[in-house]
Amino acid sequence: MHQQTSFSNVDCNDLMKNSGASKPIEIKDIMPIKFGSSVVSEDYITLEAELESNINYLELKGVLNYSLEMECSRCLDINIKNLDSNINAIFTIDSEDEALRITEKMTINLEGLIADTITDALDMKYLCFNDCLGICPDCGANKNVNKCSHNINKNINNLKENPFSSLNELNL
C-alpha cells in the first residue's frame, strides 16, 4: 500500500498517464476539525482507499477512521466516539468544487473531502445514551451521576403551555 503522510498534495501523475490504473492509498494524519460542540480528537485520522484512473477523472473509494469528542446535548459530558465513514469521490481537472479538483501538477488535496465527510457524519443532537437524564435546571448537577433533591415536575407545572402565549397580552 502506498504510504502518504498528508491529506494534501496526493500525487496522481502515474495514474493520469494510465487510464484504468489504480493504486491503494493509506494516509494517517492529524487534522483539526471543529463542528459545533464536536471536535476531532488529537488521534490520527486514517484513510484506507483505492484511487482509480479513468479517461477524464480519478475515483477514490475507501474508509475513513477517526475519533470524535462529542458533547452530550442533555448532560454536557464529553465522550470520545470512534467512527468509520465511507468515502466515494470523483476528481476532475475542471471540477467546479475545488475540493474535487485535480491540480495542474496532477495532485489532489483530500483535506476538504475529509472535513466534509466528517461533518456530514456528525449528529446534530448527540446523546451520550438514549436515557440520559441531563442536568438539573436548579443546581446544574449531572443527574446521571448525582441524584439531587430538586423536583423538576414542579417547574414544569409553572410553565405556560405555549411559550409564546405571553405575546397575546401585549397591547399593540
Side-chain angles (χ1 to χ4, degrees):
M1 191 166 275
H2 183 262
Q3 185 70 31
Q4 172 96 16
T5 59
S6 171
F7 291 116
S8 61
N9 298 323
V10 177
D11 184 20
C12 302
N13 275 307
D14 52 340
L15 290 176
M16 293 304 289
K17 294 175 185 172
N18 299 316
S19 181
S22 66
K23 70 176 177 181
I25 295 180
E26 183 177 328
I27 302 173
K28 191 174 185 181
D29 196 8
I30 295 175
M31 202 169 112
I33 299 173
K34 180 164 178 42
F35 183 77
S37 60
S38 301
V39 178
V40 173
S41 72
E42 298 291 320
D43 291 340
Y44 282 98
I45 299 172
T46 304
L47 172 67
E48 292 184 10
E50 185 82 22
L51 191 58
E52 183 177 325
S53 172
N54 289 299
I55 295 172
N56 295 322
Y57 63 90
L58 293 172
E59 185 173 10
L60 179 76
K61 291 182 181 180
V63 176
L64 189 67
N65 180 276
Y66 51 97
S67 298
L68 288 177
E69 292 179 11
M70 309 275 289
E71 181 180 65
C72 178
S73 296
R74 289 186 189 158
C75 69
L76 306 179
D77 273 355
I78 302 289
N79 298 294
I80 295 179
K81 191 175 181 182
N82 292 322
L83 298 170
D84 291 322
S85 294
N86 291 325
I87 288 188
N88 191 357
I90 296 189
F91 295 86
T92 61
I93 292 174
D94 56 354
S95 176
E96 291 181 16
D97 186 351
E98 191 174 320
L100 299 175
R101 190 175 299 144
I102 301 170
T103 67
E104 293 173 2
K105 296 179 181 178
M106 298 301 154
T107 63
I108 56 174
N109 186 342
L110 299 175
E111 289 178 344
L113 178 65
I114 300 298
D116 289 347
T117 302
I118 291 173
T119 54
D120 287 349
L122 294 175
D123 295 328
M124 295 305 286
K125 185 176 180 181
Y126 169 72
L127 296 177
C128 56
F129 55 95
N130 288 338
D131 296 332
C132 176
L133 299 173
I135 56 175
C136 175
D138 288 334
C139 66
N142 182 342
K143 295 189 302 180
N144 298 314
V145 179
N146 301 324
K147 304 291 181 202
C148 65
S149 60
H150 298 109
N151 186 358
I152 294 178
N153 292 333
K154 72 172 184 163
N155 293 336
I156 291 174
N157 292 335
N158 292 338
L159 293 176
K160 293 184 178 182
E161 189 172 308
N162 182 343
F164 298 105
S165 62
S166 301
L167 296 175
N168 288 333
E169 300 170 12
L170 293 175
N171 186 11
L172 299 175

